[in-house]
Amino acid sequence: IPSGPNEWLTKDDFAKVLNVNLLGLIDVTLSLAPLVRKAHGRIVNVSSIVGRLCISGGGYCISKYGVEAFSDSLRRELRPFGVKVSVIEPGFYKTVVTDTHVLQQSLTRSWEKTPLEVRQSR
């Protein structure tokens, strides 16, 4: 997962994370929404605590804020149809996202491709 201060990252770095964590979730949810509405069912999306409190730059926190906003809008839109929308916001669990070795590698890769002007200002 591309991570680091926002200035170190490119639009593609953000897009990689947003495509999976946000746009993928939206795509799957919208494709199933008619069936869920018909069944008066429930949509449960997985966000993160960083969907409420940003802890770093990059696309991860942004994607989780997006999941929160999308879920909130769905909750309001689908409530009249008897559909409930919930969000699970896990805290800090040992995953690739929190693995310090993986984070260090990602930071190093991001730093190495950061424009010289930005690196010289740090």
Side-chain angles (χ1 to χ4, degrees), residues 30-69:
L30 292 179
S31 70
L32 296 172
L35 295 172
V36 174
R37 188 180 331 98
K38 186 176 178 180
H40 304 285
R42 176 182 298 269
I43 296 171
V44 180
N45 289 327
V46 178
S47 179
S48 170
I49 190 65
V50 299
R52 292 184 173 265
L53 176 67
C54 189
I55 60 167
S56 67
Y60 187 76
C61 294
I62 293 168
S63 72
K64 296 306 181 177
Y65 268 82
V67 169
E68 297 279 343

Side-chain angles (χ1 to χ4, degrees), residues 1-10 13 58 103-115 118-119:
I1 296 174
S3 59
N6 291 315
E7 281 188 302
W8 295 11
L9 303 171
T10 65
D13 291 331
L103 283 170
Q104 183 60 48
Q105 287 178 329
S106 180
L107 286 169
T108 300
R109 280 192 304 273
S110 296
W111 176 252
E112 289 171 351
K113 67 180 184 177
T114 299
V118 174
R119 285 194 282 172

Side-chain angles (χ1 to χ4, degrees), residues 13-101:
D13 291 331
F14 286 90
K16 287 175 188 172
V17 179
L18 292 169
N19 283 336
V20 173
N21 288 355
L22 179 58
L23 299 178
L25 176 137
I26 290 171
D27 188 38
V28 170
T29 303
L30 292 179
S31 70
L32 296 172
L35 295 172
V36 174
R37 188 180 331 98
K38 186 176 178 180
H40 304 285
R42 176 182 298 269
I43 296 171
V44 180
N45 289 327
V46 178
S47 179
S48 170
I49 190 65
V50 299
R52 292 184 173 265
L53 176 67
C54 189
I55 60 167
S56 67
Y60 187 76
C61 294
I62 293 168
S63 72
K64 296 306 181 177
Y65 268 82
V67 169
E68 297 279 343
F70 177 67
S71 299
D72 191 39
S73 67
L74 271 181
R75 182 180 307 106
R76 294 167 193 276
E77 290 173 16
L78 297 178
R79 183 177 182 197
F81 301 100
V83 175
K84 298 196 182 317
V85 179
S86 301
V87 178
I88 297 172
E89 298 168 336
F92 295 99
Y93 290 90
K94 190 172 183 176
T95 67
V96 171
V97 174
T98 59
D99 184 312
T100 56
H101 180 69

